[in-house]
Amino acid sequence: MLKEQINQYFSWLGHLFRAPQADLLDRIEVRQEELVLASGLAFSLRLSDQTALKQMVDLEKLAYGKVMWGMKDFYRDMVGRPDTFYLQAFSHGILLAFIACREESDHLHVSNFMVAPSCQGQGLGSYLLEEAKHLAQQVGLQEIQLEVRQSNRQAQAFYRARGFQRLKTRHFYYHDNREHADLLVWCFEEADSKHD
């Protein structure tokens, strides 16, 4: 948590020296209609819905077996940071998944990403990640970065299968057990050149 707070502080400092922009939420748009994946999973998207804070904590506990961020942490991040958005997937009012993204000076940073275990393997995580890529493009960012625990082989494989590459190791990144994190990056130019 301390490293995340330090990263947030430096991100905040960076915003002091950039030309002022509208809040990130005011510069992005998502589809509002119900979406259905090839797996048959139906859902709709919302941006930074504060009424889902308790569901976010419950989902975190379900997905990770413990709570790293409480309701206050999610609220502060969602409401207190004009450079942050939460893309949330709901079905009949139930939160199925979300991805939290922060605009950095030259990239979109994924700070939280979780999918309900009952929805994993149905394409929802892939859809949210692809939508985050489109939203990054909407605001002119050319890459996405995120940290993932080195022990989380399933997440490592998920990101690598979607074009992310290891940039570096962040030693003792996670405060709960001092585990190292791999910083992964996905670049629009590299993805475009693979399709040419």
Side-chain angles (χ1 to χ4, degrees):
M1 186 67 103
L2 179 61
K3 286 187 180 185
E4 180 69 21
Q5 289 172 338
I6 290 169
N7 287 340
Q8 288 176 353
Y9 173 74
F10 283 112
S11 173
W12 176 78
L13 279 179
H15 286 281
L16 289 178
F17 300 103
R18 284 197 296 184
Q21 295 183 7
D23 286 0
L24 184 55
L25 277 173
D26 295 331
R27 296 184 287 131
I28 58 175
E29 293 181 25
V30 297
R31 297 166 63 179
Q32 297 299 312
E33 72 271 5
E34 183 174 79
L35 304 162
V36 181
L37 299 175
S39 65
L41 181 65
F43 63 98
S44 59
L45 296 175
R46 298 183 199 165
L47 278 173
S48 300
D49 183 347
Q50 299 168 41
T51 65
L53 290 170
K54 180 171 181 343
Q55 288 190 66
M56 291 168 65
V57 173
D58 293 344
L59 179 57
E60 180 183 33
K61 188 171 187 179
L62 194 60
Y64 296 127
K66 56 185 167 185
V67 173
M68 301 294 289
W69 284 42
M71 283 177 57
K72 271 200 287 190
D73 300 314
F74 284 122
Y75 179 81
R76 270 194 300 255
D77 196 49
M78 185 184 292
V79 176
R81 296 189 58 115
D83 60 350
T84 299
F85 70 84
Y86 281 68
L87 181 61
Q88 301 154 306
F90 290 86
S91 179
H92 305 290
I94 306 292
L95 180 68
L96 305 178
F98 70 88
I99 186 169
C101 300
R102 180 177 59 245
E103 181 181 20
E104 299 288 344
S105 59
D106 62 348
H107 67 275
L108 191 69
H109 187 88
V110 175
S111 58
N112 263 304
F113 187 19
M114 55 194 81
V115 177
S118 63
C119 297
Q120 291 177 7
Q122 297 185 52
L124 183 56
S126 295
Y127 183 88
L128 289 179
L129 193 57
E130 285 301 313
E131 192 65 23
K133 291 174 183 178
H134 293 298
L135 295 174
Q137 286 184 307
Q138 283 183 24
V139 296
L141 299 174
Q142 295 301 308
E143 75 180 40
I144 295 178
Q145 294 183 9
L146 56 85
E147 289 88 11
V148 63
R149 290 178 186 267
Q150 288 186 333
S151 65
N152 192 343
R153 301 285 184 224
Q154 184 178 1
Q156 296 267 354
F158 173 83
Y159 293 120
R160 287 202 167 89
R162 284 146 189 87
F164 281 79
Q165 298 177 350
R166 186 181 164 282
L167 188 61
K168 65 180 178 179
T169 297
R170 292 202 165 156
H171 297 281
F172 311 109
Y173 182 76
Y174 293 98
H175 74 281
D176 62 330
N177 64 358
R178 299 181 42 83
E179 184 177 353
H180 302 326
D182 283 338
L183 177 62
L184 304 181
V185 63
W186 184 88
C187 299
F188 289 101
E189 296 94 26
E190 291 174 16
D192 288 343
S193 67
K194 289 180 183 176
H195 297 314
D196 290 342

